[in-house]
């Protein structure tokens, strides 16, 4: 067993803390968090006011000074741990505890919600199960190179502990006999287990930084913020975080659009009305009258690829478009895999997005016949059955990676759709450098329609903001 210890909170010199703060803010910028000189000064004043003794209080104070947007806190916390926490040195015992005994102690600590014991167990589990390449044996006291292979792995630790098998035991240890108790305790057990996993990851990151350098780990070992996670590589928890961003993002885009409309409403000077108004000021046209421009809201048609490879991207974008439907006169949604069907009825205006919408659409609509993407057949199906949805006031938005499984891309159908709509755009979740590789027909589609790269929420928000009507 390892001995219980507390997190190191040694007080570094003031100059060192200043350098550390500047380097910390620079890394925040590298990870997409826009913190400028004024925010840095505010953070320094917060450090002076709050002190360094209580790192959680310092963390909250600096976050209040440096963060502006949703979805940035996870990145901030990871970098804060690297720059303002000190890892505990692993203390190996001559008789390591068995994995079963360690799992029993983890279950007991999580069931009793003993946070101090949980933190100690996270460190002990990492020490006994997460070292590789000689880390923690005293052979790597000097900084190692990236090629040395030594380090600490939270993945190896959690793989050995098999946390998915511990949920039922934790719930049983929390008591309660009714179904409601079981449901509530299961949710709480998952939350505590996630907190334990985060503690292991934090400790592994700190020890790896000690081996390879803080800046090296800060640049390569910190997970990106939710709005910069690629749709095609997103995990289930990333997609859940993205769904929570839909409504705040829609409100922000709607506010930005309203400001653009207020500015664009200024037209040319109406001389007749300006001269009439100038009669009140002795013929001097102090306040000219401008002709207001008329802005009609367009119709929007969305055609989304719902195949498994891009389903996360399509689902998120459809929910965002539905959240923005007040900006359009009418929104109609269509889905396809190898056939095309209308899916507008699956979205209810004003209701929050629910997970699994794409899977529900695939099960209960006619978007798939054989289950393999066929863009040529899907575009032809839209032309044959729904071409009247497009008109001179319609904007067409196609969502998909344009990977046709080497079938006919049917450029004629796409051209017919583009010619009928007022505007036509294609949002592709793959990087543009991949558009001409493998079975992708993106490069030939891009010759007939404006195609935008939308790999993450940030890029999607920027593209949608540009495409919104004014």
């Amino acid at each position: 067993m390892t001995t219980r210890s507390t997190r190191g909170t040694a007080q570094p010199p003031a100059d060192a803390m200043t350098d550390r703060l500047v380097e910390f803010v620079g890394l925040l910028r590298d990870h997409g968090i826009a913190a400028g000189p004024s925010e840095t000064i505010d953070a320094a004043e917060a450090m002076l006011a709050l002190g360094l003794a209580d790192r959680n209080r310092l963390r909250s104070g600096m976050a209040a000074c440096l963060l502006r947007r949703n979805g940035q806190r996870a990145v901030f916390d990871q970098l804060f741990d690297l720059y303002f926490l000190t890892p505990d040195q692993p203390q190996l015992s001559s008789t390591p505890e068995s994995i079963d005994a360690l799992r029993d102690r983890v279950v007991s600590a999580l069931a009793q919600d003993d946070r101090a014991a949980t933190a100690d167990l996270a460190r002990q589990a990492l020490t006994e199960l997460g070292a590789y390449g000689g880390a923690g044996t005293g052979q790597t006291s000097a900084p190692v190179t990236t090629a040395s292979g030594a380090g600490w792995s939270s993945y190896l630790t959690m793989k050995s502990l098999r946390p998915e098998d511990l949920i039922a035991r934790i719930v049983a240890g929390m008591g309660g006999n009714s179904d409601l108790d079981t449901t509530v305790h299961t949710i709480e057990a998952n939350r505590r287990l996630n907190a334990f996993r985060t503690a292991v990851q934090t400790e592994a990151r700190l020890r790896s930084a000690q081996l390879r350098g803080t800046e090296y780990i800060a640049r390569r070992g910190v997970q990106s913020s939710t709005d910069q996670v690629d749709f095609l590589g997103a995990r289930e928890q990333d997609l859940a975080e993205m769904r929570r961003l839909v409504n705040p993002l829609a409100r922000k885009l709607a506010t930005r659009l309203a400001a653009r409309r207020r500015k664009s409403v200024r037209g040319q000077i109406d001389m007749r009305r300006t001269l009439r108004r100038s009669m009140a000021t002795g013929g001097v046209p102090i306040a000219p009258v401008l002709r207001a421009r008329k802005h009609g809201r367009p119709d929007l048609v969305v055609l989304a690829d719902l195949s498994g490879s891009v389903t996360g991207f399509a689902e998120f974008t459809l929910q965002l478009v539905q959240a923005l439907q007040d900006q359009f006169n009418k929104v109609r949604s269509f889905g396809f895999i190898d056939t095309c069907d209308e899916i507008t009825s699956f979205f209810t205006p004003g209701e929050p997005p629910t997970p699994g919408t794409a899977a529900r659409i695939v099960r209960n609509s006619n978007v798939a016949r054989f289950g393999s993407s066929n863009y040529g057949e899907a575009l032809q199906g839209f032309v044959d059955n729904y071409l009247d949805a497009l008109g001179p006031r319609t904007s067409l938005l196609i969502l998909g990676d344009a990977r046709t499984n080497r079938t006919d891309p049917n450029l004629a159908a796409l051209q017919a759709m583009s010619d009928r709509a007022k505007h036509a755009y294609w949002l592709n979740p793959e990087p543009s450098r991949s558009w001409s590789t493998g079975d992708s027909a993106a490069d030939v589609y891009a010759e007939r329609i404006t195609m935008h790269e939308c790999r993450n929420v940030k890029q999607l928000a920027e593209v949608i903001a540009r495409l919104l009507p004014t």
Side-chain angles (χ1 to χ4, degrees), residues 26 49 94 99 102 109 126 147 224 241 291 299-300 316 425 428 447:
S94 57
I99 292 181
L102 188 58
L126 182 68
S224 302
E241 287 293 326
R291 291 193 181 95
D299 299 336
L300 178 66
F316 181 85
Y425 307 100
N428 193 327
E447 295 174 358

Side-chain angles (χ1 to χ4, degrees), residues 288-305:
V289 180
L290 303 178
R291 291 193 181 95
R293 293 175 180 169
K294 294 182 180 178
H295 295 273
R297 292 184 301 172
D299 299 336
L300 178 66
V301 168
V302 184
L303 183 60
D305 180 358

